[in-house]
Amino acid sequence: MDLFDISMVGLQRGMSGALLRQQVLANNLSNANTPGFKRSDVDFHSALAAAIGGATSPQSVLGTGFSVETDTSTTMRADGNNVDVDGEMASLSENTLDYQAMTSVLSTRVKILETAIGNR
Amino acid sequence: MGLFDALNVSASGMSAERLRMDVIASNLANANTTRGADGQPYRRQEVILQEKSPSFGEVLGGVMVAGIVDDPTPPRRVYDPGHPDADKNGYVTMPNVNPVTEMVDLITSSRGYEANVTAMNAAKQMFTKTFDVLR
């Protein structure tokens, strides 16, 4: 096992994906009253799952990019805005929990490494 | 992508919503003002929100206030011959402010503010978790 194997790098990319998604969701919420605004989202799970599924080395996972997709197909209000504040709130808490899950796994891995190194 | 970009996005939303609240408060305070700053009856003001384009290195910019404009709807005409600003037919030109509309806008804006606070707290929680990784 490498020190930084595919799952370690996957966690790193997953965490930055969740940070990006947090920013995108915050942007949707801050534009909840902007006429004509269309919401965006990042599906970092699928991108990362595809990258890990076909991964041969940690480097290939490290290069995974995430794209911000704008949803122009729906309309919530007469002014053309399609931000559903309740939906954004749900996505926001889902994303925070995602991130917390990834950080707990990461810190456990760091603790295992520390034990192996003999730090504790 | 910086660590604090998400906080900046939420902060832009909070300040935009707060400015909207200020303008709504001004509309409500002047709902019966017949002499505005220009001597004319007060005109209802509205905030125009616009999506902010991201500056260098940012993914998303949040929201910005494009301007504060006067509402072009015609003023209310109230029959009140005793009023010092009444015209020769006894009608007073009152501001085009409808307190009910303002109240609804106030609720929208206050909920919008709360949504931004929630997003900011979520970002803070995530950052705190990051600092815990190496603890």
Side-chain angles (χ1 to χ4, degrees):
Chain A
M1 190 188 97
D2 284 338
L3 195 56
F4 295 103
D5 60 356
I6 289 175
S7 17
M8 196 79 158
V9 174
L11 278 172
Q12 188 214 321
R13 291 310 297 153
M15 280 165 69
S16 62
L19 277 178
L20 176 66
R21 187 162 189 232
Q22 156 70 32
Q23 209 181 320
V24 171
L25 296 176
N27 191 57
N28 290 343
L29 281 173
S30 67
N31 283 291
N33 290 318
T34 306
F37 176 82
K38 297 292 184 191
R39 73 177 297 271
S40 311
D41 210 337
V42 186
D43 189 6
F44 71 92
H45 288 107
S46 317
L48 201 58
I52 292 176
T56 46
S57 68
Q59 275 71 32
S60 59
V61 178
L62 199 58
T64 319
F66 307 120
S67 57
V68 180
E69 308 280 351
T70 308
D71 176 13
T72 50
S73 60
T74 56
T75 295
M76 270 298 278
R77 294 198 314 235
D79 64 5
N81 189 307
N82 68 347
V83 178
D84 171 16
V85 176
D86 302 315
E88 300 300 328
M89 286 298 180
S91 307
L92 198 65
S93 35
E94 178 199 314
N95 192 51
T96 313
L97 289 173
D98 253 1
Y99 190 82
Q100 290 185 357
M102 287 186 279
T103 46
S104 343
V105 176
L106 185 62
S107 51
T108 309
R109 287 182 72 96
V110 168
K111 283 200 183 76
I112 291 171
L113 282 176
E114 279 179 350
T115 312
I117 293 166
N119 197 18
R120 303 267 152 105
Chain B
M1 188 184 72
L3 192 60
F4 300 113
D5 283 359
L7 292 182
N8 290 338
V9 168
S10 296
S12 78
M14 281 160 71
S15 64
E17 296 296 352
R18 211 176 44 220
L19 181 72
R20 265 183 89 206
M21 275 192 244
D22 288 350
V23 169
I24 293 166
S26 160
N27 287 343
L28 279 171
N30 286 296
N32 293 310
T33 304
T34 52
R35 292 174 198 179
D38 55 356
Q40 295 296 308
Y42 178 84
R43 292 202 82 91
R44 171 176 185 265
Q45 291 187 314
E46 207 160 5
V47 174
I48 299 176
L49 297 180
Q50 187 188 333
E51 191 184 1
K52 191 168 148 195
S53 53
S55 55
F56 182 72
E58 283 179 345
V59 183
L60 296 156
V63 68
M64 64 179 246
V65 174
I68 300 174
V69 293
D70 286 352
D71 183 341
T73 54
R76 268 184 305 136
R77 305 268 288 157
V78 178
Y79 185 68
D80 185 5
H83 196 287
D85 289 330
D87 63 10
K88 59 181 189 317
N89 298 324
Y91 280 94
V92 184
T93 311
M94 298 295 267
N96 52 353
V97 176
N98 181 356
V100 180
T101 317
E102 300 303 324
M103 282 303 175
V104 173
D105 283 353
L106 191 65
I107 293 169
T108 322
S109 148
S110 132
R111 291 284 176 267
Y113 190 87
E114 282 172 25
N116 282 297
V117 172
T118 310
M120 192 178 247
N121 280 330
K124 261 166 59 190
Q125 247 178 55
M126 285 168 73
F127 300 151
T128 319
K129 280 283 161 193
T130 318
F131 302 142
D132 285 347
V133 168
L134 290 173
R135 192 173 277 171

